Amino acid sequence: MFAIVEKHRRLSQILLALVSITFIGFGAESLSSGIRGHYVGKVGDTTITAEEVQSIVRAAHQNGNAGATNESTFQSLVQQAYIEQGALELGVGELSVEQIKSVIARDPEFQTNGQFDPAKLRNYLSAAGLSEDRLIDNMRRQYRRQTLLGLITNGSIVSTSQAEQLLGIINSERELRSAPFQASDYAGKVQPTDAVLKTYFEANKARYALPLAVKLEYVELSLEELAKQQPVSAQELQEAYQNLLAAGSEAKPSFDSVKAQLEDSVRQRKASQAMGKAREELEQLAFDNPNSLQKVAEQMKLPLQKQDEWLSQPDVAASQLPDAVKEALFSAEVVERRHNSELLDMGNGVLRIVRATDVSKARNQSFEEAKDAVRRDYIAAESAKLAQAAAAEALRKLQAGQAAPALQWGQVEKVGASQLQQNLGMENFAAIVKARPQNGKPGYALVNLPGSGAALVEVRSVSLPENSKEQLPQVRQLAGQRNGEQFYTQFIRGLEQKFPLRSGNQKLNPDE
């Protein structure tokens, strides 16, 4: 609305969005001085009252922002208060009364035929419920805050060389090859004693705890299974054939050629009609025979199926089964009482009743029970360390220009930065970025591969796409924004420590 606000809006729009300031007009954003704790919160000398919060929320609702709440508005006001406190601390954005009046006089909204019109200003003040002094104070606060935000967001200068470096990281392609150091190749060098294994076991005991697990039997009701039970009479087939429509101008197919399809169609229709009643019957039979699914299966003419492998609670929790099914499989009714479960909807029109045939309770294994697994894990961990150490020694020799052991280099390939990040992770990608070819010689990096050892990467060349120069302005802007956001976060945290938010005697919500 005001020229001074429009002039500095671009400087602070990013961080204004971050603190979610949702104010309508200047009348809604005054932060009163507060008397004797008559406020909800206080930052430095700035207080936030319940009346201000509620006034802003009402204005927001009247202007179509139904999502504005007391809590979100209060948090926005707190952020705004910290921004203003920071501006006061740094002494930035101070305007005199004469400067503000000059801005108001030049604002087209308060002019008639290019000249300041006092009547328009009075009408605005009356509609907003403001005095002239309050308007001036609001504008001073607004300018103070936006000046600080502008300094933060635009004060981070990113040079062309910095932008090119960032572009080289996020958009470069590397011609490279790799030589693996497989952990399995070093396994023969690891010969642990029982004492060593026991120490490893004690340090990783939780890893060898056995979770709660069950073996199950179940009866499954589905449209497919129910359709198999549906009889189809000759009359039903003839009726289905009579209702069969020919495609376009084609002649109606012969009865014999579509008989099998008609049977399936009739069975599916009858199964759909019977599903509701079958569901109720299955549920009632499972309830009446809580200790057996055999009777349920026989009366429902459904096969009794078995899950003979142990099904552990962690495996079920990580599965894509519906939450209600996950909960029921390890409920007290199934695991402790060994009763039939409730009717479970497995999705895709499949219903099941399950019952535990065997239960393995959660417990800690002894060393002797877990010894084989402990040996396997220890050898794998130590083998990986040996592989990584061998790779590190080979890297040292290559970087020093010394003869390295014969390496099994793979084929040379060209890989983009995003693919490297995705496949190897940020830590390994950072190591590869540092390996830059120089003076016609390749760069080398060591990447650690959890569980499988390590690899040496030979970087032969680094190149940018042909249109990379066109992306520099965008990259420079992105880097500046990130730097500004990081500085803003650190700046606010510093203010929060210096000026902790203090609570007054007012409640944010009147009903509390």
Side-chain angles (χ1 to χ4, degrees):
M1 156 177 180
F2 299 104
I4 191 168
V5 176
E6 293 298 330
K7 178 180 178 182
H8 296 277
R9 186 184 306 277
R10 182 69 181 89
L11 298 175
S12 58
Q13 63 183 171
I14 298 171
L15 292 178
L16 283 174
L18 290 176
V19 299
S20 304
I21 299 176
T22 54
F23 303 115
I24 309 299
F26 285 95
E29 53 177 321
S30 63
L31 303 175
S32 68
S33 59
I35 301 175
R36 295 182 182 177
H38 189 67
Y39 51 79
V40 178
K42 183 177 182 180
V43 175
D45 296 327
T46 304
T47 59
I48 305 168
T49 67
E51 291 80 9
E52 294 172 73
V53 172
Q54 292 157 14
S55 173
I56 294 170
V57 172
R58 283 195 300 271
H61 290 175
Q62 291 171 2
N63 284 271
N65 184 4
T69 64
N70 287 354
E71 180 60 33
S72 63
T73 302
F74 175 72
Q75 293 301 326
S76 293
L77 284 169
V78 169
Q79 289 294 303
Q80 190 182 42
Y82 274 118
I83 295 169
E84 182 163 347
Q85 195 65 45
L88 289 171
E89 284 286 296
L90 297 176
V92 300
E94 293 297 330
L95 289 177
S96 66
V97 173
E98 289 73 19
Q99 287 174 311
I100 294 175
K101 286 185 176 180
S102 176
V103 169
I104 294 173
R106 294 198 305 271
D107 194 303
E109 190 162 339
F110 300 131
Q111 290 183 349
T112 300
N113 297 325
Q115 298 295 319
F116 174 64
D117 188 340
K120 287 190 174 182
L121 176 61
R122 286 195 297 270
N123 290 338
Y124 170 77
L125 293 174
S126 177
L130 291 171
S131 65
E132 184 175 333
D133 289 341
R134 174 55 68 188
L135 173 64
I136 291 173
D137 185 56
N138 286 343
M139 290 186 65
R140 180 183 286 115
R141 290 171 179 271
Q142 178 85 349
Y143 182 70
R144 189 184 291 144
R145 293 189 296 270
Q146 290 190 329
T147 299
L148 177 60
L149 289 173
L151 288 173
I152 293 174
T153 56
N154 293 281
S156 178
I157 300 174
V158 180
S159 67
T160 299
S161 62
Q162 288 174 317
E164 288 176 343
Q165 187 177 21
L166 179 58
L167 183 63
I169 292 174
I170 65 177
N171 206 26
S172 59
E173 291 183 333
R174 286 169 172 78
E175 190 178 72
L176 50 79
R177 63 177 183 169
S178 62
F181 285 75
Q182 298 286 355
S184 57
D185 294 337
Y186 297 83
K189 298 181 179 182
V190 183
Q191 301 293 331
T193 64
D194 281 2
V196 169
L197 291 178
K198 195 164 187 178
T199 300
Y200 184 83
F201 170 75
E202 292 295 336
N204 299 276
K205 208 167 188 176
R207 184 190 301 178
Y208 302 102
L210 295 178
L212 176 63
V214 294
K215 291 183 179 179
L216 301 170
E217 61 181 8
Y218 60 93
V219 172
E220 182 173 284
L221 177 65
S222 64
L223 281 175
E224 181 182 0
E225 195 65 37
L226 200 56
K228 294 177 183 178
Q229 302 177 14
Q230 305 305 311
V232 179
S233 66
Q235 182 180 349
E236 287 173 324
L237 282 177
Q238 287 297 329
E239 289 176 354
Y241 182 69
Q242 294 299 323
N243 293 327
L244 184 65
L245 298 177
S249 59
E250 295 180 5
K252 192 172 184 177
S254 66
F255 176 78
D256 290 337
S257 67
V258 295
K259 182 179 179 180
Q261 296 176 16
L262 293 174
E263 286 180 344
D264 289 340
S265 176
V266 172
R267 285 195 175 96
Q268 288 291 332
R269 174 174 54 79
K270 295 179 73 172
S272 297
Q273 294 170 349
M275 189 64 172
K277 182 179 178 181
R279 176 185 180 129
E280 292 178 2
E281 186 179 356
L282 174 60
E283 197 165 16
Q284 188 62 48
L285 283 170
F287 179 79
D288 292 341
N289 301 276
N291 299 314
S292 172
L293 276 181
Q294 186 66 45
K295 293 181 180 179
V296 176
E298 290 173 355
Q299 294 193 43
M300 291 294 298
K301 297 180 181 179
L302 296 171
L304 180 59
Q305 304 183 60
K306 294 184 180 294
Q307 171 79 35
D308 290 328
E309 296 181 357
W310 287 109
L311 195 61
S312 74
Q313 197 166 22
D315 288 342
V316 170
S319 71
Q320 299 298 315
L321 291 172
D323 289 342
V325 174
K326 294 179 182 180
E327 184 177 349
L329 290 180
F330 293 94
S331 65
E333 194 71 17
V334 172
V335 172
E336 296 176 13
R337 302 184 186 92
R338 304 288 185 93
H339 286 173
N340 296 334
S341 72
E342 60 189 19
L343 188 65
L344 303 177
D345 188 343
M346 308 300 292
N348 299 318
V350 176
L351 304 173
R352 279 184 187 176
I353 301 287
V354 304
R355 180 177 172 274
T357 57
D358 200 358
V359 176
S360 175
K361 293 184 177 180
R363 64 181 181 87
N364 288 322
Q365 291 191 91
S366 67
F367 170 67
E368 290 301 326
E369 288 178 300
K371 188 174 179 179
D372 290 343
V374 173
R375 179 183 295 276
R376 182 181 61 248
D377 292 346
Y378 179 82
I379 291 175
E382 293 303 309
S383 299
K385 291 179 184 178
L386 291 175
Q388 291 164 5
E393 176 62 16
L395 175 65
R396 184 190 67 77
K397 289 183 177 180
L398 287 171
Q399 290 177 333
Q402 300 174 4
L407 300 175
Q408 297 178 351
W409 290 107
Q411 292 186 345
V412 176
E413 55 184 332
K414 205 166 190 177
V415 186
S418 59
Q419 185 179 348
L420 286 173
Q421 292 179 51
Q422 183 177 355
N423 293 344
L424 299 176
M426 283 303 299
E427 187 174 346
N428 285 330
F429 173 67
I432 293 175
V433 168
K434 294 176 183 177
R436 298 190 64 83
Q438 292 181 347
N439 302 322
K441 296 181 179 181
Y444 295 96
L446 169 64
V447 297
N448 290 316
L449 307 173
S452 60
L456 282 185
V457 177
E458 181 185 78
V459 182
R460 294 189 164 193
S461 66
V462 181
S463 59
L464 290 171
E466 294 182 0
N467 65 341
S468 60
K469 294 295 183 183
E470 300 173 6
Q471 301 176 28
L472 278 178
Q474 182 181 356
V475 171
R476 183 185 286 110
Q477 182 182 15
L478 175 64
Q481 289 177 1
R482 287 181 176 176
N483 291 345
E485 290 168 8
Q486 292 173 357
F487 180 76
Y488 170 82
T489 300
Q490 295 171 356
F491 183 70
I492 292 297
R493 285 177 181 171
L495 290 173
E496 288 173 343
Q497 293 178 354
K498 189 172 184 179
F499 303 100
L501 176 63
R502 303 189 184 281
S503 299
N505 58 22
Q506 282 191 324
K507 298 293 184 182
L508 184 59
N509 297 303
D511 296 335
E512 293 181 351

